[in-house]
């Protein structure tokens, strides 16, 4: 039954998306039909020359009801067809918040706390029942051994569940969530000279992170491709170089904003400064790419035991460290 419902809901969603895509066409057809009921004088057509007729009182022209502007409605329908529906966006945001690790942990804590309270309450009630049955307070002073034993057994069972819930709640309270991954830094505007280099830098960072991750894992022979110190140095140096490159890109954007606000006679010198910084930025990206290439050669050589490619990683790291220092001085 659940699969049939999901299938029906999927077909309904597909049909709804098709109708939403056709909304602009529906709006265009409605606009064409509306034009048929608008008088020719309102459509901008030239009226015919009036024929001489006997003088008659002019008849009042019926006024058409005011209709909303069709272009505006078409724009709204187009935006809905493109997926910019506020209800859908809000639902997606709520679903994302529901699936956050912190929200899941809080829900687990609440459920475990309620279960602990429930088991404690049952344990207390069963313990009281066992005591009352054993003391003979139920049947005029006669102790009921079977009821006392049953109450004691249930007390032990519910108490065990309560202890487990308490230990689980303690574990959840001590759980430390991993830090959320840092959002990637924003790219410069599309019209900025630094936009294309920063896109290349983002791609190089992703490639280097994957290569260094592979170098951190032992090979099939059980040996490390390179030492952990070399991998850590490469990772630290790459992060410092990327920060220096972004600082240089920020300097380029600041000069571009000043150039746009400067008088015409001053813009030539600022353009020359932007061009010079762009060349330095390209040189820095070439150095960063050299480290990525060295890491790739090291990963390729890790299976056959070659040492020349492994040493190239240290050489590229040293070169990039010097380049990063120079870039920090510039930015």
């Amino acid at each position: 039954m659940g699969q049939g419902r999901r299938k029906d809901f999927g077909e309904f969603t597909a049909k709804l998306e098709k109708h939403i895509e056709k909304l602009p066409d529906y709006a265009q057809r409605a606009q064409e039909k509306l034009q048929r009921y608008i008088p020719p004088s309102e459509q901008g057509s030239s009226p015919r020359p009036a024929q001489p007729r006997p003088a008659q009182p002019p008849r009042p022209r019926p006024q058409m009801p005011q209709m909303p502007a069709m272009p505006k409605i078409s724009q709204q329908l187009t935006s809905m067809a493109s997926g910019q529906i506020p209800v859908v966006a809000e639902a997606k945001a709520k679903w994302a918040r529901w699936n956050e690790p912190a929200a899941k942990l809080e829900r687990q804590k609440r459920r475990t706390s309620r279960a602990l309270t429930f088991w404690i309450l049952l344990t207390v009630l069963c313990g009281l029942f066992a005591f009352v049955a054993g003391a003979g307070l139920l049947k005029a002073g006669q102790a009921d051994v079977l009821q006392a034993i049953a109450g004691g057994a249930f007390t032990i069972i519910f108490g065990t569940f309560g202890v487990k819930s308490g230990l689980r709640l303690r574990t959840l309270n001590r759980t430390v969530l991993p830090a959320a991954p840092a959002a990637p830094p924003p790219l410069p505007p599309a019209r900025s000279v630094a936009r294309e280099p920063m896109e290349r830098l983002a791609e190089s960072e992703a490639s280097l992170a994957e290569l260094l991750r592979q170098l951190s894992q032992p090979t099939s022979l059980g040996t490390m491709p390179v030492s952990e110190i070399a991998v850590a140095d490469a990772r630290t140096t790459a992060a410092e170089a990327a920060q220096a490159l972004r600082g240089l890109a920020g300097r380029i954007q600041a000069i571009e904003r000043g150039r746009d606000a400067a008088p015409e006679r001053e813009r030539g010198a600022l353009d020359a400064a932007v061009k010079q910084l762009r060349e330095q930025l390209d040189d820095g990206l070439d150095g960063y790419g050299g480290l990525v290439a060295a890491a790739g050669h090291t990963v390729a050589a890790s299976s056959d035991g070659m040492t020349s490619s492994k040493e190239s990683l240290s050489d590229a790291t040293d070169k990039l460290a010097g380049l990063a220092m120079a870039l920090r001085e510039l930015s």
Side-chain angles (χ1 to χ4, degrees):
M1 292 296 293
Q3 294 181 356
R5 292 179 180 176
R6 286 195 296 269
K7 183 177 180 181
D8 295 340
F9 183 75
E11 294 178 356
F12 174 74
T13 305
K15 292 181 180 180
L16 181 60
E17 291 178 354
K18 291 181 180 180
H19 285 294
I20 291 177
E21 292 177 356
K22 294 180 180 180
L23 286 178
D25 297 335
Y26 296 158
Q28 185 65 27
R29 294 175 184 175
Q31 187 176 3
E32 292 176 356
K33 291 183 179 180
L34 182 63
Q35 297 297 331
R36 300 176 183 177
Y37 299 97
I38 299 177
S41 59
E42 295 185 6
Q43 296 182 1
S45 58
S46 59
R48 298 179 179 179
Q51 298 293 334
R53 292 183 179 180
Q56 294 181 357
R59 296 180 180 179
R61 178 181 299 176
Q63 296 182 357
M64 296 294 295
Q66 295 292 334
M67 299 293 293
M70 294 304 298
K72 185 176 181 180
I73 297 178
S74 301
Q75 293 176 0
Q76 294 177 357
L77 296 177
T78 304
S79 63
M80 292 176 61
S82 61
Q84 301 176 358
I85 304 177
V87 177
V88 176
E90 185 178 357
K92 289 182 179 179
K94 289 183 178 180
W95 180 254
R97 290 194 297 268
W98 175 267
N99 290 325
E100 289 179 356
K104 291 182 179 180
L105 181 61
E106 289 298 326
R107 290 196 297 271
Q108 292 178 356
K109 288 180 180 180
R110 287 196 299 267
R111 288 194 296 265
T112 307
S113 178
R114 293 169 184 171
L116 177 61
T117 304
F118 178 73
W119 295 128
I120 290 176
L121 181 61
L122 288 181
T123 303
V124 172
L125 292 177
C126 291
L128 291 175
F129 177 79
F131 174 76
V132 171
L137 300 177
L138 293 177
K139 295 183 178 181
Q142 296 180 1
D144 193 337
V145 180
L146 294 179
Q147 292 182 358
I149 293 175
F154 281 110
T155 301
I156 295 174
I157 293 174
F158 294 146
T160 303
F161 289 153
V163 171
K164 289 184 178 180
S165 298
L167 293 176
R168 177 171 173 76
L169 182 60
R170 181 183 179 186
T171 303
L172 291 175
N173 289 329
R174 292 185 176 182
T175 301
V176 179
L177 294 176
L187 293 174
R191 61 183 183 85
S192 176
V193 177
R195 175 62 178 261
E196 189 268 339
M198 289 298 98
E199 291 178 348
R200 290 168 49 196
L201 177 61
E203 296 177 357
S204 299
E205 284 180 321
S207 301
L208 182 61
E210 176 61 23
L211 292 172
L212 294 179
R213 186 189 64 81
Q214 295 185 10
L215 291 177
S216 301
Q217 299 176 353
T219 61
S220 58
L221 302 177
T223 59
M224 297 296 294
V226 293
S227 63
E228 296 180 0
I229 298 177
V231 175
D233 290 342
R235 186 177 287 110
T236 303
T237 303
E240 294 176 354
Q243 184 179 2
L245 289 172
R246 288 193 172 90
L248 189 59
R251 187 177 179 183
I252 291 176
Q253 295 178 64
I255 296 176
E256 288 176 341
R257 288 192 295 269
R259 177 198 58 192
D260 296 339
E264 188 67 27
R265 62 180 180 275
E266 302 291 343
R267 295 184 179 180
L270 295 176
D271 287 333
V274 169
K275 183 178 180 181
Q276 182 180 1
L277 292 177
R278 170 60 191 269
E279 294 176 356
Q280 296 173 359
L281 188 59
D282 291 335
D283 293 339
L285 285 172
D286 291 340
Y288 197 98
L291 179 59
V292 176
H297 291 309
T298 305
V299 172
S302 60
S303 58
D304 52 13
M306 295 177 59
T307 58
S308 58
S309 296
K310 297 178 181 179
E311 294 176 355
S312 65
L313 179 63
S314 300
D315 296 339
T317 302
D318 295 337
K319 293 180 181 179
L320 185 60
L323 182 60
M325 186 179 299
L327 290 175
R328 283 196 298 270
E329 294 178 357
L330 290 175
S331 58

